[in-house]
Amino acid sequence: MTRYGGFVLLSCSLFTTSSLASFYDPVDGQFDMGHHLAENAHGFLPIPILITEPAVGYGGGVAGLFLHETDEEKRQRKQAALSAIDGGAQLVPSAMSVVGAVGTENETWFVFGGHRRSWMNDSIRYTGGGGFGVANLDLYTSINWGPIDHDLRIGTSTSVAVLSQKVQFRIGQSPWMLGIKQLLAKSEIEFDNTVLDRILGNESVTSGLGLEAEYDTRDNLFYPTKGYKLSADYMVYDDAIGSDYNYRNLNIDGEAYIPITQKWMLGLAANYQNFDQQDRLVSPTAKPYVSLRGVSSYRYQGDEIETIQGQLTYSINHRWKVSGFYGSGTAKQDNIVSHDSTINAGGVGFRYQIARRYGLHLGMDYAQSHEESAVYFNVGSGF
């Protein structure tokens, strides 16, 4: 099966005769969106979205990216970009927002928004986002009991409204930040199986609070070329804070970007999640899943998730990059009915630096596992 992810397209309406020159970089003369993104009135970039995902059908939507930079921040970024080919990319906007909406032919739709803001030279940082919509998805569970060894597909339709936010505080001038996280969601899930719908189909509230620690030395927010990021958070979902489901989740993420030579860069990423279920039954989408390019979301869920990825990137020049990647993920089950699953996937891709003064790259990845292949149009490294 071939699966296409969301594709971020640049709006043709931007290319008017009067503004055409602003889409070419004054340093290298290449196509570039950095000037438009920084110099228009509100730092606003319209992003049409095309979805060709067989699981939800064809569809699309639109998003808007807002960079809330002061005139002084814009001046510093522009000066840095004019003085060096990678200038400006290390400067992170103190505030940015995104709003948008998507919909598909199988009646999946979602309206979303998010905001990131920092104060005191990034000593205090707030990140929040939320949305509402309906997701019509297939979930899978492995049945391994005696002579039965079968992957069971479960069709679901979930109406959801969700809010997620966190506040982080930097420790001195170090790369370490500590924070508090919150997630609040109200959902109603329906199953295409009558028995499951009677048992699990209901309206529920999921409420969680947690702590997070983060270490980040990456040289760019959008497309790092060197540095490390390590984050760990522990979330508690409990009826004491208004949740209908009681469980705990530990999530540890790591990324490393290691320059090998001037042209070659090695990227590594790993993830570990531990799901501690307190109730006999929880929402089917609560359990974590293996997240790899070439593997469907929610295809491999488990009580413990372990993934590792590697990506080797070659820079043709400062604009164009090509890469090859490979990863492996394991979903471990804490019961006697389901069995552990391991999935491997790999592929190739390319990136084009679309906004040099921000270090913003976009491109395409082709990934394949033993079950399916997929094409992704990505902004960023792909991790």
Side-chain angles (χ1 to χ4, degrees):
M1 180 181 74
T2 300
R3 182 166 62 90
Y4 292 87
F7 182 24
V8 179
L9 297 172
L10 301 176
S11 174
C12 293
S13 63
L14 297 174
F15 296 91
T16 62
T17 303
S18 61
S19 63
L20 188 61
S22 68
F23 293 97
Y24 289 89
D25 192 297
V27 174
D28 63 6
Q30 299 298 307
F31 176 75
D32 190 278
M33 294 289 293
H35 177 84
H36 172 81
L37 189 58
E39 302 299 334
N40 70 65
H42 302 288
F44 166 68
L45 178 67
I47 308 173
I49 302 171
L50 175 65
I51 300 173
T52 56
E53 166 62 71
V56 295
Y58 292 98
V62 65
L65 174 66
F66 298 81
L67 298 180
H68 312 291
E69 291 185 301
T70 65
D71 290 339
E72 177 61 21
E73 288 173 331
K74 292 179 181 179
R75 187 194 65 79
Q76 291 178 0
R77 185 182 298 278
K78 182 177 181 179
Q79 183 177 0
L82 291 173
S83 61
I85 202 68
D86 60 348
Q90 290 78 27
L91 302 176
V92 179
S94 59
M96 62 184 76
S97 303
V98 63
V99 293
V102 296
T104 70
E105 63 178 342
N106 84 333
E107 299 182 357
T108 290
W109 61 273
F110 197 69
V111 177
F112 60 90
H115 183 71
R116 183 182 188 270
R117 173 80 185 190
S118 64
W119 296 270
M120 300 172 61
N121 197 27
D122 203 30
S123 294
I124 303 174
R125 184 189 302 165
Y126 170 84
T127 307
F132 59 92
V134 175
N136 299 314
L137 299 170
D138 289 338
L139 304 179
Y140 294 84
T141 184
S142 298
I143 305 298
N144 185 13
W145 197 1
I148 302 175
D149 188 359
H150 180 67
D151 288 340
L152 179 64
R153 184 196 66 82
I154 304 171
T156 68
S157 179
T158 304
S159 302
V160 64
V162 61
L163 170 68
S164 176
Q165 56 185 347
K166 64 181 179 180
V167 179
Q168 297 169 284
F169 302 90
R170 189 172 301 279
I171 301 177
Q173 301 298 317
S174 75
W176 284 99
M177 299 193 81
L178 300 178
I180 303 172
K181 298 183 65 175
Q182 180 198 23
L183 186 141
L184 180 64
K186 184 176 182 180
S187 62
E188 182 176 2
I189 187 168
E190 298 178 355
F191 296 84
D192 60 3
N193 182 286
T194 305
V195 176
L196 288 177
D197 194 53
R198 289 179 179 177
I199 298 174
L200 297 175
N202 62 358
E203 185 175 281
S204 62
V205 173
T206 301
S207 178
L209 289 174
L211 300 175
E212 181 185 52
E214 179 181 284
Y215 175 87
D216 192 354
T217 62
R218 296 173 301 167
D219 62 342
N220 182 260
L221 175 66
F222 302 109
Y223 190 88
T225 58
K226 63 180 179 180
Y228 303 88
K229 180 182 179 182
L230 176 65
S231 64
D233 64 76
Y234 185 76
M235 294 291 294
V236 175
Y237 300 85
D238 197 278
D239 53 13
I241 52 176
S243 183
D244 292 327
Y245 299 115
N246 295 274
Y247 59 92
R248 314 287 185 263
N249 192 72
L250 171 66
N251 181 50
I252 301 174
D253 275 305
E255 297 178 14
Y257 301 89
I258 306 168
I260 301 174
T261 67
Q262 188 175 1
K263 291 285 189 179
W264 291 93
M265 189 266 291
L266 176 64
L268 300 171
N271 171 257
Y272 173 79
Q273 296 188 63
N274 185 286
F275 183 82
D276 182 13
Q277 186 170 324
Q278 307 289 308
D279 293 339
R280 186 171 62 89
L281 296 174
V282 298
S283 171
T285 57
K287 281 193 174 185
Y289 59 88
V290 172
S291 179
L292 288 172
R293 283 168 287 183
V295 180
S296 296
S297 298
Y298 292 100
R299 179 63 180 87
Y300 294 96
Q301 292 179 275
D303 299 293
E304 279 189 87
I305 300 295
E306 299 171 354
T307 62
I308 186 169
Q309 305 177 63
Q311 179 168 283
L312 188 62
T313 301
Y314 177 75
S315 297
I316 300 173
N317 52 44
H318 70 279
R319 288 287 179 180
W320 290 97
K321 297 175 174 63
V322 293
S323 62
F325 53 88
Y326 190 82
S328 180
T330 299
K332 297 181 178 180
Q333 310 295 337
D334 190 19
N335 60 70
I336 62 174
V337 177
S338 302
H339 60 79
D340 299 347
S341 301
T342 297
I343 183 72
N344 303 314
V348 295
F350 73 88
R351 295 292 185 275
Y352 179 78
Q353 187 168 214
I354 193 67
R356 185 176 61 84
R357 69 174 71 181
Y358 292 96
L360 185 61
H361 291 65
L362 62 82
M364 183 179 71
D365 293 326
Y366 171 80
Q368 184 172 356
S369 65
H370 72 271
E371 292 182 337
E372 62 181 333
S373 60
V375 175
Y376 303 89
F377 293 87
N378 285 323
V379 175
S381 67
F383 286 154

